[in-house]
Amino acid sequence: MLSIILVSVYAIFIKNYEEQREKTANLILNTIKDDVSEVSYLLSKSIKNNEKINKYRAILDRTTSNNSFVSTIMVIDGSEVLITTNPHNNTAPRKADLYYDKSLTDFEYLSTQKGLEGRIRYYQGSTLHELEIVFLFDSDEIKELFNETKLSFFFYFGLFPIVLLYLSWTIIKYSIVKPLEKLRAYAYHQSDIPKKLYIHEMEAIRSSMVQTFSRLDREQKELYKMARTDILSGLANRVSLKEYLERLILDSDYDKKEFAFLFLDLDHFKSVNDELGHLVGDELLTVVSSRVQELLPENSFIARVGGDEFVIILHNYASLTSLTSLMDQLQGCIANQWIIQSHPIHITSSIGIAFYPKDARDLTTLMQHSNVAMYEAKKKGRAQYHFYTEVLNKKVQNTIALDKDMRKALENKEYELYYQPKTDVESGRIIGAEALIRWNSPDRGFVGPNVFIPLAEENGFIIELGNWVLQEAVNQQLEWKQKGMDITISVNVATKQLLDNAFEYVFTSIMDMSGVDPSKIDIEITEYLFLKETQKSLRVLNMIHDYGSTISLDDFGTGYSSLSYLKRFPIDNLKIDKVFMDDYATEDGAVFVETIVKMGQTLKLHVIAEGIEEKEQVEYLSSIGCVAYQGYYCSKPLNVNEFEKFYKAYLTL
C-alpha cells in the first residue's frame, strides 16, 4: 500500500512538474518572441540603408539587457553579421539551430535550439530589402532557472509530501497498525494483555477482548478442573489419576524408585445406601474423603475411581513398616463412628496394595493387581489390607507381628543382657565385657539380634531399646562392683539412638542417678555414624568423652572411616573386625591387621581384636603389640550368672 501511494505521489509530482516546466518555458519563449517582434518592427521602421544600421545598436543592447534569457542579438544580411551585441560572438548561427519545429515543446525547443530569428524589412527607394535578426538564447541562464524551479518544485511538491506521508504512516503504524497486531497476537495466542490504547474505538475492542478471554480462561480452567475432579468428593478422578501416574512412572524409572499403589474400598457401603439413602451415603463419602486426604502425607496422591473406591499412591515412604503404619492409621480413622444427619454409622475399609514396577508397570495392571489384593483382604474378613504378592504379604505380616511382639517384649521383660569378656593379650586378665542383648520369647523362643535389631533400627524402636540396654548395663556394673568385679562394660549405641535429641539428657540422667563411675562405661559406635550429621555427632561424642566415658569404634575398617575422622572425633579404642582376623595368616590379611595396630599405637588408641577363636591368633596379636581381644577363644557371650562364675573361675587360673 505504501509503495502504491509513493508511486502515485511521484507520478503526480512528475506530471505537475512537467506541466509547470512547460509553462515556464512557454513564458520565456513568448517573451523572447515578443522582443523579436518589437525590435524587428522598430528597426523595420527606422532603417533606411545597411550602412547606418550601427546607430541602432543601443536598441539592441537595451533589449539584451532587459531580457536575461537572451545573450546576443545579431542582425544578419545573408551570411554577413552586420551588427552584434556581443563582439565575441560575430558568427552567424546555422539555420538548423534556429529552425522552429512545431513538434517540439517549448522546453525542448529552449533546450535543443540556440535561438529565435525574425525579419527586418525596409524600402530603399522602391526596392524592398530584408535582413535577418537573431536572438541567441542565454543557455546558462535558462538552465539555472529551470534547475532552481526544479529544486523548489521538488522540495515543496515532492519532498514535503513524502515526509508528510512518512510521518502520517508512522503515526498510523504506531497508533493503529502495531496495536492491531498486538490485538491479533492476543486473539490467537492469548499472550500478554495489551496496554490501554489511546484511540477510543480500539480501546473498546481491546477491553472487550480482555474481558472475553479472561472469562474464557476462567471457564477453561473450571472445565479442566471439572474434567479431572470428582464432583462429589472434590478428589481427583480417573482422568487425573491417569495423567499423574504417567508422570510418576517416568520419574520413578529415571530415579530407579518404586511406589505403592493402594486400592481402598469401603466395606458394606451398599448397606448404608440401601438403609439410609443415597444422600446419607454421599455425605459419608464426602467426609471420609476429606479425612483420609488430611491423613495422607503432602506428597501423596488420592483419587476416587468408583462409588466407594479410592486409589492412593505413595512414593516417599521410608520402609514397609512406615507404609503399613500409615495404612493402620487410615483404616483406624475410617473405622471410627461417623455421625451423618444424626445417623451413627460404623464402617470399615479393605485395602489392596501393589508395587511399581515389580507388581505392574502400567495403570491398568496396577488397578487389576491392587484390586485382586483388595478382594483378598475382603475374603480374609475385611477391615484389613493385603499385598498383591503373597510372599511379600507374608513377609509384611511377619514384620508387623515381629514389631508388635518386640515392643511388647520390653514391657514383659523378655530381653536379657549377655556379656562377652574382653581379655588382655599379655596377662590374660579380663579387663572388660561387651553387653549384648538377647530376646527369649515365650512364643517365638530365642530370637537372634540379627532378626529384631535391624527392624528396631528401621522403625525407631532402637532408641527405646537402646536406652534400656544402657540402663541395664550401668546397673550391672554397679552390682558387679559391689561383688568385687569392677570391670568396664561396653554398650553398643546405634546411630539413630545417639543422634536422638533426647540422648544427651538420657545418658547424663542414667549416669548421674546411678552414681556409676563414667570411666567404667564404654560406648561402642559404628562407622556409619560418620555419615550422619557430622557436627551433631561430634558434639554428642565430645559430651560423652568429656563426661568421662570412653568411646570405641566397632568393626573398624569395614565401613566409612578415614584418618580425618579418627583425628576429629574423640575415639579411645579401635576394634578390629572379625573379617580381618579370619584372614590374619595370609600375607595380605596380616598387612591389614598390622597396619591397623600400628596406626592405633601411633594415634595412642587401644586396639582390640574381635572374633578371636584360636590360640595362634592370640599369639599373633601379642607379637604385633595388640592390647586386647574378644572372642570365643576366651568365652562366648554369657548371661549374668554364667559370666560371674566364669569370671571367678578365670581369676583362679
Side-chain angles (χ1 to χ4, degrees), residues 36 45 54 104 117 189 216 410 466 580 610:
V36 171
K45 293 295 183 181
N54 281 327
L104 298 176
E117 65 176 346
H189 309 294
L216 289 174
L410 186 60
F580 297 110
E610 291 185 296

Side-chain angles (χ1 to χ4, degrees), residues 507 518 538-551 570:
F507 177 81
L538 178 61
R539 178 174 57 80
V540 176
L541 292 180
N542 281 330
M543 180 276 298
I544 295 172
H545 199 267
D546 293 343
Y547 197 84
S549 295
T550 56
I551 298 173

Side-chain angles (χ1 to χ4, degrees), residues 322-338:
S322 62
L323 179 62
T324 55
S325 175
L326 176 60
M327 287 188 286
D328 286 335
Q329 293 180 45
L330 290 175
Q331 291 189 313
C333 167
I334 294 173
N336 288 331
Q337 177 175 277
W338 303 91

Side-chain angles (χ1 to χ4, degrees), residues 375-393:
Y375 278 109
E376 189 64 27
K378 286 184 178 291
K379 288 179 183 178
K380 293 186 175 182
R382 304 179 189 271
Q384 56 185 289
Y385 51 84
H386 191 86
F387 291 87
Y388 173 72
T389 305
E390 188 60 39
V391 174
L392 178 61
N393 186 67

Side-chain angles (χ1 to χ4, degrees), residues 470-599:
L470 178 61
Q471 181 69 68
E472 286 296 306
V474 167
N475 293 340
Q476 191 61 59
Q477 203 285 330
L478 291 172
E479 183 179 335
W480 280 345
K481 183 178 181 180
Q482 293 177 357
K483 295 180 179 181
M485 299 169 55
D486 192 12
I487 60 175
T488 300
I489 295 180
S490 296
V491 180
N492 290 283
V493 176
T495 298
K496 186 173 289 188
Q497 178 189 0
L498 189 124
L499 294 179
D500 181 60
N501 293 331
F503 177 76
E504 294 179 65
Y505 171 77
V506 171
F507 177 81
T508 54
S509 297
I510 291 175
M511 303 294 278
D512 292 340
M513 293 179 66
S514 65
V516 70
D517 180 359
S519 65
K520 296 299 181 179
I521 300 298
D522 176 63
I523 301 298
E524 289 197 10
I525 61 172
T526 62
E527 297 176 0
Y528 183 70
L529 173 67
F530 298 145
L531 292 181
K532 298 287 186 177
E533 302 185 39
T534 306
Q535 293 301 321
K536 185 174 182 180
S537 302
L538 178 61
R539 178 174 57 80
V540 176
L541 292 180
N542 281 330
M543 180 276 298
I544 295 172
H545 199 267
D546 293 343
Y547 197 84
S549 295
T550 56
I551 298 173
S552 296
L553 184 57
D554 199 8
D555 303 331
F556 181 75
T558 61
Y560 310 93
S561 287
S562 68
L563 290 177
S564 63
Y565 291 137
L566 296 179
K567 179 181 178 182
R568 289 180 60 194
F569 289 85
I571 306 299
D572 299 289
N573 308 306
L574 291 182
K575 299 187 73 175
I576 304 175
D577 191 78
K578 183 179 185 297
V579 173
F580 297 110
M581 291 309 306
D582 288 344
D583 201 31
Y584 86 99
T586 66
E587 182 178 352
D588 291 339
V591 169
F592 276 104
V593 175
E594 292 172 20
T595 299
I596 295 173
V597 172
K598 289 179 181 179
M599 181 177 64

Side-chain angles (χ1 to χ4, degrees), residues 64 168 200 237 254 310 424 531 533 545 572 582 587:
T64 302
S168 301
H200 177 74
N237 60 9
Y254 180 81
F310 301 85
D424 184 270
L531 292 181
E533 302 185 39
H545 199 267
D572 299 289
D582 288 344
E587 182 178 352

